[in-house]
Amino acid sequence: MKNKFIYLAILGAMGLTACEPEFENELTDGNYSAGEADFSSYVGIGNSLTAGVMDGTVSRVSQSYSFPSMLAGQFRIVGGGEFTQPSYAEDVNNLGGIAGLPGFNTRLIINSEINPATGQAFGPQPIAGTSTITLTQQAMAFNNMGVPGAKSFHLLAPGYGNPAGLVTSPATANPYFVRMATSTSTTVLDDAMMKNPTFFTNWIGNNDVLGYSTSGGDGSDPITPLPTFTAAYNAIINRLTSNGAKGVVATIPSVTSIPYFTTVPYNPVPLSAAQVTALNTGFAQYNGGLALAANAGLITQAERQRRTITFQEGEGNALTIVDETLTNLSALGLPSYRQATEDDLIVLPARTIIGTLVGGNPQQINGVSVPLADRWVLIPSEQAEIATATTEFNNVIKAAAEAKGLAVADMNAILNQLVSGLRTADGQIYTANYFAGNSNLSTVLFSLDGIHPNARGYAVITNEVIKVINEHYKAKLPFVSPGNFPGPTVLPNNN
């Protein structure tokens, strides 16, 4: 079954190569000013969005495009001080990843070489090569204190940078903080305060809902309880402002609007007449059992109809999924299956298994005759949980900002604008779509992992933060030009 989600075949003729321009800032306009802010010691704290993750990892070049780094470049024009980030000098080939750690792969690229089996380009896929990034401890506090994977309460957790915590089950340490922590017992916030910040950005909280979302709401990574988030967030803000520092806090975007959840359609399955006959025959017993359950009053006729699985010849067949919210009919030997609808969100990694065979058996097709498991799908009730938590967390963030007189960069609102199209100062309209080849090469702002921005996206974020600084602190900071930053990395091959 052909993968029909990303049309990349045209890339083979484009002859595109990797683009890694360096960021330079030559602005010296004397009219710029810091206003009421003091940028002499700027610290950015947060998670992967602050660290500069793109294409699934931190690499030497991706880190250079972190939004705090771009901000610091603009701050320097009006008296901003030194800005340091954890060293990635050992990433000599710009591959990213972390050597020897499963799941910390090299960065994703588009391989425009044509796959003869599908007639389409390969990818996205990890760039070939072995990571040279190690866990060698740098034992320094940096101005960029973004720690990929961190949740709100992790910033306050002693031992989060202790290498011994990487081998416990579950792990109690974070490899990125292991690389930078000043001691095995310190916290991210303690190290941040070592820089005596006069100005900060705080963009933490995405992972408090994102982990639940990317795991399909299967329970393996639950949403942070509101009391835990509230206590952690207020403790962070109280500490950051304890010396009179000013700053910007950022809200949590609606994660279900990002390409990770909006790229794979619910109905991508094309079928031949023979396949339809086989599938409908295979599900006949299940459908018959539903009819008996409905006649016995165990489920409503509406649920029976919702659960009935049928396929038709041609395009547009919906995926078969597991839905744990359906009435439990296991006593009748009936699993909780139904076909997906447009209200379900299929996670991006599902594209690698949909249509594949289980054990090479042509009758066992993932997403068709074999339903997608819970972790591949966000059903409406799970989306509602995420939306509720996001709203509650953002209310906490805004209340903390108001109490301390801080500026708010409303990233939730900005992402909502991106969904319909965001026009930047240079006139370009960007969207929250996933990279789809030549058609949106210049307008896509997300990297190939579908979660994090690419360099151009981080430039847009930088400008949104500058906007609120200029307004809230009466500063006159210049903007960066998103169009000058690279988009997706496309290589002619992956050798």
Side-chain angles (χ1 to χ4, degrees):
M1 190 167 295
K2 183 180 292 185
N3 185 325
K4 298 178 69 65
F5 310 141
I6 305 171
Y7 299 91
L8 299 171
I10 55 174
L11 290 172
M14 293 171 59
L16 297 177
T17 57
C19 181
E20 299 177 359
E22 299 296 329
F23 172 60
E24 295 181 355
N25 191 328
E26 299 176 349
L27 295 173
T28 58
D29 193 321
N31 291 323
Y32 297 136
S33 75
E36 299 171 351
D38 175 0
F39 302 121
S40 58
S41 181
Y42 161 55
V43 172
I45 69 169
N47 48 42
S48 53
L49 293 165
T50 293
V53 167
M54 67 177 72
D55 298 324
T57 187
V58 181
S59 69
R60 175 173 51 80
V61 171
S62 79
Q63 186 203 43
S64 71
Y65 295 125
S66 72
F67 89 84
S69 179
M70 294 189 197
L71 269 183
Q74 307 308 89
F75 291 167
R76 279 195 291 273
I77 299 170
V78 294
E82 179 188 31
F83 186 82
T84 58
Q85 304 193 93
S87 174
Y88 278 85
E90 62 189 356
D91 188 20
V92 291
N93 294 317
N94 189 37
L95 299 180
I98 298 178
L101 278 187
F104 290 82
N105 299 323
T106 57
R107 64 187 172 97
L108 297 171
I109 54 95
I110 292 294
N111 174 5
S112 59
E113 192 173 23
I114 299 301
N115 181 346
T118 66
Q120 300 182 36
F122 292 94
Q125 57 190 218
I127 190 171
T130 302
S131 173
T132 55
I133 298 173
T134 71
L135 294 175
T136 300
Q137 293 166 279
Q138 299 172 28
M140 288 181 59
F142 296 94
N143 294 87
N144 188 336
M145 293 299 296
V147 179
K151 297 182 179 181
S152 55
F153 53 87
H154 287 144
L155 302 189
L156 304 167
Y160 197 50
N162 186 345
L166 295 177
V167 295
T168 60
S169 182
T172 57
N174 181 306
Y176 291 100
F177 192 47
V178 166
R179 295 183 76 244
M180 59 199 283
T182 57
S183 73
T184 57
S185 60
T186 190
T187 70
V188 175
L189 189 58
D190 283 344
D191 280 2
M193 294 305 293
M194 291 178 68
K195 303 300 289 186
N196 296 314
T198 59
F199 195 86
F200 64 86
T201 54
N202 177 20
W203 194 2
I204 193 70
N206 291 53
N207 290 327
D208 294 85
V209 292
L210 183 63
Y212 176 81
S213 308
T214 56
S215 59
D218 67 356
S220 62
D221 194 348
I223 295 173
T224 301
L226 179 60
T228 302
F229 181 86
T230 303
Y233 197 88
N234 285 323
I236 293 166
I237 291 299
N238 287 338
R239 186 79 183 281
L240 285 170
T241 57
S242 59
N243 292 326
K246 298 177 179 178
V248 178
V249 298
T251 60
I252 302 169
S254 175
V255 297
T256 52
S257 297
I258 61 179
Y260 193 89
F261 300 102
T262 60
T263 301
V264 180
Y266 76 94
N267 59 348
V269 184
L271 293 172
S272 66
Q275 289 173 315
V276 169
T277 298
L279 286 166
N280 286 341
T281 300
F283 279 104
Q285 185 175 2
Y286 175 74
N287 293 338
L290 294 177
L292 292 174
N295 291 337
L298 299 177
I299 59 174
T300 65
Q301 289 296 334
E303 180 169 349
R304 174 199 171 190
Q305 184 175 12
R306 186 178 179 216
R307 296 176 67 157
T308 298
I309 296 175
T310 58
F311 296 94
Q312 58 188 6
E313 183 180 355
E315 307 279 344
N317 284 280
L319 295 165
T320 310
I321 65 173
V322 174
D323 182 346
E324 68 276 14
T325 65
L326 297 172
T327 302
N328 186 349
L329 297 176
S330 59
L332 303 179
L334 296 176
S336 294
Y337 295 165
R338 66 173 172 85
Q339 284 181 288
T341 73
E342 60 183 359
D343 294 325
D344 298 302
L345 298 177
I346 313 300
V347 300
L348 186 61
R351 76 191 193 283
T352 62
I353 71 157
I354 293 173
T356 61
L357 305 181
V358 178
N361 184 344
Q363 305 303 317
Q364 298 290 306
I365 308 171
N366 281 309
V368 185
S369 56
V370 179
L372 292 180
D374 191 2
R375 67 192 177 103
W376 302 110
V377 186
L378 276 180
I379 60 177
S381 60
E382 294 164 340
Q383 296 171 47
E385 290 181 66
I386 295 164
T388 297
T390 300
T391 299
E392 291 174 339
F393 292 171
N394 282 339
N395 288 340
V396 171
I397 292 170
K398 292 175 181 177
E402 183 176 2
K404 298 294 183 179
L406 303 172
V408 177
D410 194 350
M411 295 303 174
N412 189 31
I414 293 165
L415 182 61
N416 289 335
Q417 292 179 49
L418 272 174
V419 170
S420 57
L422 173 67
R423 182 185 293 275
T424 58
D426 59 6
Q428 179 66 60
I429 297 176
Y430 295 99
T431 70
N433 294 334
Y434 192 70
F435 176 62
N438 198 28
S439 62
N440 70 345
L441 179 64
S442 61
T443 61
V444 64
L445 294 181
F446 281 86
S447 69
L448 297 173
D449 59 35
I451 295 175
H452 301 93
N454 55 29
R456 195 170 293 152
Y458 281 121
V460 170
I461 287 171
T462 300
N463 283 344
E464 295 300 325
V465 176
I466 288 174
K467 284 180 185 176
V468 300
I469 292 174
N470 284 348
E471 180 177 354
H472 193 85
Y473 295 110
K474 299 180 175 57
K476 293 181 180 178
L477 293 170
F479 296 108
V480 298
S481 298
N484 292 341
F485 293 85
T489 298
V490 183
L491 300 177
N493 56 62
N494 195 15
N495 300 320

